[in-house]
Amino acid sequence: MNTNTLINHMLGTKYPLIQGGMANIATGEFAAAVSNSGALGLIGAGGMNVEILRENIRKCRELTDKPFGVNLMLMNPQAEEMAHLLVEEGVKIVTTGAGNPGKYMEMWKQAGMTVIPVVSSVALAKRMEREGADMVIAEGTESGGHVGEMTTMTLVPQVADAVQIPVIAAGGIADGRQLAAAFVLGASGAQLGTCLLVSEECPIHDNYKQAVIKAKDNGTIVTGRISGTPVRILKNKMAREYVRREKEGADVMELEKFTLGSLRRAVFDGDTVTGSLMAGQTSGQLHEIRPLKEIFETMWRQAKEGLTPLDTPNGVRPQVEKC
Ligand code: TUI
């Protein structure tokens, strides 16, 4: 069983909350805004090259004196060089996604970094702990972007039972009720993505924000479940055609035509028809654009109201009234 320590004590943040990697979205400026609002901001290296990542790290450092980190998307063709860059630039915290960061672990640990891989299975969580990870992010399939199979509800307690290091819950957390639930499941913190897309500070095109706000509970779909890389996005013309052709047995080359450049089209051009609007299943509960500070404050207050005592979240028992 893992510890009860909330991750804010370990990371030096106000809240036990971290921001998701969000490739092409989470710039140095955005990460700094998240850190200045009380959570851990992360620069999403996913859509960057080495030089752009370096610039974003320096920009972030200029804009905040609070802790921040980098999310290294391991499918990035320059992931290896980026892994070294993080050491060179003195980045203190790294989260990883879309692969196994095992080969960088020794280098990062020697540099004194806090290493937090995203896992979507118990086996990988145990392996990451063995190899020296400081915490793991257990990410359920409710998340936006690249997803695994298991739900947050089933993955988090199983990972929490299997490792000693703190577990951060991710996927399906956008308000205080869900944050409180994550603690009850054994998490020591939460990673947020979709609810930050609709923050004032998020640098995506306004059409993208409005599409998240308009989305209903079943407004997302997973492309690539059959063909390789499952990615959760908002339903639109591109997503529907992709999944239809995928079911008809289209090959990867044809399917790639749908997704080529599609995330950038959504983020920068606001193309909600052929763009890939990565977003999680919480989209249906998000109805307004708010400042980051307010999002974190409200979520934390609501979670506290649902949890007693807050300091021992993993020991919480539901108060069941007489039936
Ligand atoms: O990485 C994510 N979410 C992402 S990355 C991304 S950028 C992208 N763009 C186009 C296509 C694909 C990705 C958008 N969203 N979340 C973390 C995550 N990691 N989810 C699942 C995993 C994962 C998968 C396999 C982690 C480890 C893993 O290991 C495989 C192995 O080698 O054992």
Side-chain angles (χ1 to χ4, degrees):
M1 191 66 162
N2 72 323
T3 66
N4 281 349
T5 323
L6 290 177
I7 57 163
N8 48 322
H9 301 305
M10 307 173 69
L11 297 175
T13 53
K14 181 172 181 190
Y15 304 114
L17 301 173
I18 74 171
Q19 167 229 311
M22 300 199 291
N24 280 308
I25 296 172
T27 57
E29 202 170 346
F30 182 65
V34 170
S35 290
N36 287 334
S37 305
L40 181 75
L42 292 156
I43 299 160
M48 299 181 181
N49 63 32
V50 176
E51 274 321 303
I52 305 239
L53 176 57
R54 191 193 301 276
E55 281 167 24
N56 276 273
I57 292 168
R58 292 183 179 178
K59 182 84 187 169
C60 189
R61 195 163 273 139
E62 236 174 74
L63 296 174
T64 186
D65 56 2
K66 303 275 190 302
F68 70 93
V70 168
N71 170 263
L72 186 62
M73 208 279 271
L74 295 165
M75 278 164 55
N76 185 308
Q78 296 191 352
E80 174 107 32
E81 287 168 80
M82 288 176 168
H84 287 90
L85 176 77
L86 303 187
V87 176
E88 205 182 301
E89 288 291 316
V91 171
K92 297 277 186 294
I93 304 169
V94 59
T95 69
T96 64
N100 181 346
K103 64 176 169 175
Y104 309 123
M105 202 70 97
E106 204 185 317
M107 171 176 71
W108 287 340
K109 292 313 301 170
Q110 282 208 345
M113 292 164 65
T114 299
V115 183
I116 319 177
V118 173
V119 299
S120 47
S121 71
V122 167
L124 189 60
K126 286 166 83 167
R127 188 159 168 201
M128 291 296 98
E129 178 178 51
R130 250 192 339 267
E131 292 181 9
D134 297 278
M135 314 175 193
V136 286
I137 301 164
E139 189 181 279
T141 194
E142 296 92 324
S143 293
H146 180 41
V147 290
E149 282 289 338
M150 289 186 74
T151 59
T152 303
M153 184 77 121
T154 54
L155 182 65
V156 172
Q158 294 186 60
V159 170
D161 283 349
V163 298
Q164 304 290 321
I165 52 177
V167 176
I168 300 170
I173 303 168
D175 70 22
R177 295 167 300 179
Q178 290 154 330
L179 178 58
F183 289 137
V184 175
L185 293 175
S188 302
Q191 175 186 278
L192 312 173
T194 305
C195 65
L196 306 185
L197 288 177
V198 292
S199 64
E200 275 175 9
E201 293 88 340
C202 188
I204 56 174
H205 197 285
D206 194 54
N207 291 356
Y208 193 159
K209 292 189 190 182
Q210 294 306 326
V212 174
I213 285 172
K214 249 198 277 166
K216 300 237 167 22
D217 54 346
N218 62 352
T220 68
I221 192 166
V222 176
T223 58
R225 274 250 197 253
I226 304 170
S227 59
T229 312
V231 175
R232 184 178 299 285
I233 57 179
L234 292 182
K235 285 178 186 166
N236 62 5
K237 184 164 175 271
M238 186 279 282
R240 287 195 178 89
E241 273 174 27
Y242 184 109
V243 171
R244 182 177 59 78
R245 288 297 298 136
E246 190 180 18
K247 283 182 183 155
E248 286 168 2
D251 62 27
V252 176
M253 293 284 279
E254 182 194 331
L255 294 171
E256 273 178 2
K257 281 191 207 137
F258 289 104
T259 52
L260 194 70
S262 61
L263 179 57
R264 297 183 71 84
R265 278 204 299 282
V267 172
F268 301 114
D269 308 338
D271 178 350
T272 56
V273 179
T274 75
S276 170
L277 293 91
M278 295 191 187
Q281 289 183 320
T282 58
S283 296
Q285 70 190 75
L286 298 166
H287 307 301
E288 54 182 344
I289 295 171
R290 295 185 298 162
L292 286 167
K293 220 168 165 206
E294 190 187 315
I295 295 174
F296 299 138
E297 248 169 43
T298 313
M299 186 180 293
W300 185 243
R301 198 178 54 245
Q302 282 179 349
K304 272 203 292 193
E305 282 163 9
L307 279 177
T308 21
L310 183 66
D311 288 334
T312 55
N314 295 343
V316 169
R317 296 285 174 274
Q319 302 292 310
V320 182
E321 296 295 324
K322 273 186 206 152
C323 303

